[in-house]
Amino acid sequence: ILLSIVLTMYGVGLHYDQSVEAARALTFATLVLASLGLIFADRSRSRKWLASLATHNNALWWITGGTLVFLVMALYIDRLRGLFYFDLLYPKDIALCLVASGVFITAIEGLKRAFPKPAG
């Protein structure tokens, strides 16, 4: 599911006359955000991912915060952007990444409901 979403994001980036570097940045940001969402969704097979946020886990928040900080650095610090061959993403691009990641998380939550954890 994630592969199809990431490939779609790359295609969307190229379709809207963005540079290859912008499409690459769009794809990378979607992959990172969706992976963070997957971590939250996989914390519990029986609870929704929002309900699992109530469970205290310091390491999770450090990893989440660190990941987001490094993502922002890779997208908005010129030297790092050049290292990854990324172009600048605008707020509408980030919103698109968040929507695509949300679609992925929703699909995972739907699969959790369709295939509940067996009892015992």
Side-chain angles (χ1 to χ4, degrees):
I1 297 170
L2 183 54
L3 177 62
S4 64
I5 289 173
V6 167
L7 289 174
T8 300
M9 290 299 288
Y10 188 74
V12 164
L14 293 178
H15 178 72
Y16 286 107
D17 295 329
Q18 291 186 351
S19 66
V20 172
E21 290 80 9
R24 186 181 298 126
L26 195 67
T27 303
F28 180 75
T30 302
L31 180 62
V32 169
L33 293 172
S35 295
L36 278 176
L38 183 61
I39 291 170
F40 282 96
D42 280 347
R43 289 184 70 202
S44 172
R45 293 261 331 220
S46 59
R47 293 184 297 178
K48 295 178 182 175
W49 74 277
L50 284 175
S52 72
L53 293 178
T55 305
H56 185 69
N57 187 338
N58 282 336
L60 173 69
W61 294 110
W62 279 104
I63 290 169
T64 301
T67 301
L68 292 175
V69 165
F70 285 116
L71 176 62
V72 167
M73 288 171 54
L75 293 176
Y76 294 104
I77 293 178
D78 290 336
R79 286 188 166 239
L80 289 176
R81 246 189 12 247
L83 179 69
F84 290 106
Y85 298 100
F86 290 161
D87 203 354
L88 189 63
L89 291 184
Y90 297 98
K92 66 178 179 66
D93 299 324
I94 297 297
L96 186 60
C97 294
L98 289 169
V99 168
S101 300
V103 168
F104 173 68
I105 294 166
T106 302
I108 294 300
E109 288 295 322
L111 288 172
K112 281 174 37 177
R113 284 195 203 111
F115 302 102
K117 184 178 179 180

